[in-house]
Amino acid sequence: MRVTGWRDKREFVEFPYRLYRHDSFWVPPLRIQQRRMFDTHRHPFYREAEMERFLAVRQGRTVGRIAAILDHRYIRHRQEQAGWFGFLETVDDVETAAALVSAASDWLVRRGIRLMRGPMNPSTNYECAMLVEGFDSPPYVMMPYNPPYYPRLMEGLGLRKAKDLYAYHTTATEINVAQAERVAEYASARGVRVRPVRLKEIKAEIERFFQVYNSAWNNNWGFVPMSRAEMEYLAEEIKPVLDPNLALLAEVGEKVAGCALALPDINQALRHARGRLFPLGLFKILYHRRRIRRMRVVILGVLEEFRAAGVAAALYAALFRHGLRAGYREGEFSWILEDNVMMNRSLEALGARRYKTYRIYEWKG
């Protein structure tokens, strides 16, 4: 059934909290953030995108949900007639999964789209892909999680792999800081300078991130440029957990050459709030936030003209220095495309190990 009134909208948000209530690895997102994500009137993503949401109901009880998404910015940028499915949650039942996937694909076909990929929640600039390996630990901040039966359901319905995304893990004792520092010295000798963002110039700094992000990732599979409004919106979303020393810009002379962003793994605190800020959730988050010892490298990109200058290593070295000084003992690098050979090899050389795999599936009508 199509989501229409406020009861359906509430049910779409609430269903995962029931589905995962006995799953110790799932981290309940804040409900207020979920509602913002689905606000098609206010969230800047929907200025150039459409979304239709569906619920699967059996005997009066919700057993699944899905969204069909048409990102016009992607179609225009990649010159590919493709649409997405996203925000998929379902019980372990092939008929339910089939009904959900059919609802999304039918909605896209009616709009002339016969290639569907997902999960995209709602694009590669946000949470995306389905966990297919590495179900033995909770996700880091802004990474998805799902039960082990999800890939089986997708493949049983005939969806095929479009692309795999990797997540790497390391610890303070495993990471090869010396290796990164050696390359960083090489970069420094060639004029590369890495600095934290200047909070007093935050609008200008966001603009610098924006320019690097949309340029450095432009040729990556599945990439769609983020609008300026989206970048500003996301900056507001992460501001409460941002450590300025982990938001870095690399410069060569007067030019911005690259950027990096790592976030404290706020999931370690969020899991205690059970999706609510009030009446006690906020206090629990603030209390447990002091104990966070994990961080995730969310963004690290270098403009093409500077990729031979050791900029990436300089950014990594600065993240390692600041992270260790701040007391972080574990870290995740995610996500990296399976065919990004240079980045995958670089992380392995730095002592990181691949420990989770996420998959974007594809359906062709």
Side-chain angles (χ1 to χ4, degrees):
M1 58 179 283
R2 190 168 63 89
V3 169
T4 53
W6 67 268
R7 287 186 178 86
D8 293 345
K9 293 177 181 178
R10 183 180 64 184
E11 184 65 11
F12 195 90
V13 170
E14 288 296 323
F15 174 63
Y17 297 88
R18 297 196 302 273
L19 181 68
Y20 290 97
R21 64 186 180 278
H22 299 307
D23 191 323
S24 61
F25 292 139
W26 186 65
V27 179
L30 291 176
R31 285 172 170 84
I32 188 171
Q33 288 185 322
Q34 291 294 287
R35 288 192 289 269
R36 287 173 183 164
M37 183 73 255
F38 298 127
D39 189 340
T40 57
H41 298 292
R42 296 184 181 180
H43 196 292
F45 171 78
Y46 302 107
R47 294 178 189 175
E48 295 188 74
E50 302 171 55
M51 179 174 69
E52 190 75 74
R53 289 180 283 168
F54 302 90
L55 291 170
V57 179
R58 180 183 295 136
Q59 296 178 346
R61 185 172 65 93
T62 300
V63 290
R65 74 174 201 183
I66 199 169
I69 302 157
L70 196 53
D71 186 348
H72 297 289
R73 179 183 286 268
Y74 176 88
I75 292 171
R76 187 172 63 250
H77 180 71
R78 309 302 299 194
Q79 293 295 297
E80 182 181 42
Q81 294 294 310
W84 317 138
F85 72 89
F87 304 104
L88 172 68
E89 302 291 358
T90 178
V91 297
D92 187 2
D93 177 70
V94 68
E95 290 185 5
T96 301
L100 290 167
V101 171
S102 292
S105 61
D106 289 349
W107 186 86
L108 289 169
V109 167
R110 288 196 297 272
R111 284 152 183 80
I113 305 296
R114 295 185 174 274
L115 173 60
M116 180 175 73
R117 296 192 185 111
M120 304 286 192
N121 305 328
S123 81
T124 55
N125 291 321
Y126 302 83
E127 287 187 15
C128 66
M130 181 177 289
L131 183 65
V132 296
E133 293 178 1
F135 295 95
D136 56 351
S137 59
Y140 273 67
V141 59
M142 297 172 69
M143 288 296 286
Y145 174 80
N146 53 264
Y149 62 80
Y150 275 29
R152 170 171 50 79
L153 291 176
M154 294 300 100
E155 289 157 22
L157 295 176
L159 277 76
R160 296 291 178 257
K161 167 187 159 182
K163 189 71 68 175
D164 278 354
L165 318 176
Y166 294 155
Y168 287 81
H169 181 266
T170 192
T171 66
T173 56
E174 294 170 338
I175 196 69
N176 191 343
V177 179
Q179 169 76 5
E181 291 287 6
R182 282 194 294 272
V183 183
E185 289 175 8
Y186 165 88
S188 178
R190 281 150 183 79
V192 177
R193 183 171 66 95
V194 175
R195 63 170 178 82
V197 296
R198 303 178 183 120
L199 293 182
K200 292 182 179 179
E201 304 174 18
I202 192 61
K203 285 191 175 181
E205 298 288 63
I206 291 172
E207 179 65 22
R208 294 178 183 110
F209 259 83
F210 174 76
Q211 297 298 335
V212 173
Y213 182 81
N214 279 349
S215 178
W217 276 268
N218 186 56
N219 294 324
N220 282 11
W221 181 91
F223 177 75
V224 56
M226 187 176 287
S227 71
R228 186 170 280 99
E230 282 182 278
M231 182 68 78
E232 291 172 354
Y233 186 95
L234 285 174
E236 284 296 315
E237 288 278 294
I238 67 173
K239 188 190 297 184
V241 299
L242 180 67
D243 179 343
N245 290 317
L246 298 177
L248 307 174
L249 286 167
E251 298 170 327
V252 177
E254 298 298 317
K255 291 185 176 181
V256 177
C259 66
L261 172 67
L263 293 175
D265 183 22
I266 194 65
N267 278 5
Q268 290 187 285
L270 281 179
R271 63 188 310 157
H272 299 281
R274 300 191 177 278
R276 299 188 186 278
L277 283 177
F278 304 104
L280 299 175
L282 180 59
F283 296 103
K284 291 179 180 179
I285 293 170
L286 293 174
Y287 174 78
H288 289 282
R289 179 177 176 175
R290 297 177 297 176
R291 302 183 176 189
I292 294 175
R293 293 295 178 266
R294 310 196 319 177
M295 71 179 200
R296 176 189 167 214
V297 180
V298 181
I299 293 172
L300 194 145
V302 179
L303 295 179
E304 191 168 0
E305 63 185 289
F306 298 108
R307 287 177 184 168
V311 175
L315 288 165
Y316 275 130
L319 287 175
F320 298 158
R321 284 196 302 271
H322 293 308
L324 291 169
R325 193 179 303 140
Y328 297 107
R329 312 309 296 167
E330 296 180 54
E332 180 180 281
F333 306 87
S334 60
W335 44 264
I336 295 90
L337 290 169
E338 62 177 328
D339 49 9
N340 189 340
V341 177
M342 182 178 295
M343 185 61 75
N344 286 310
R345 287 179 177 173
S346 297
L347 289 171
E348 290 165 1
L350 289 171
R353 62 179 178 86
R354 178 159 62 90
Y355 83 124
K356 290 183 186 289
T357 301
Y358 300 84
R359 181 162 296 163
I360 293 174
Y361 283 94
E362 184 173 270
W363 170 89
K364 294 181 180 180

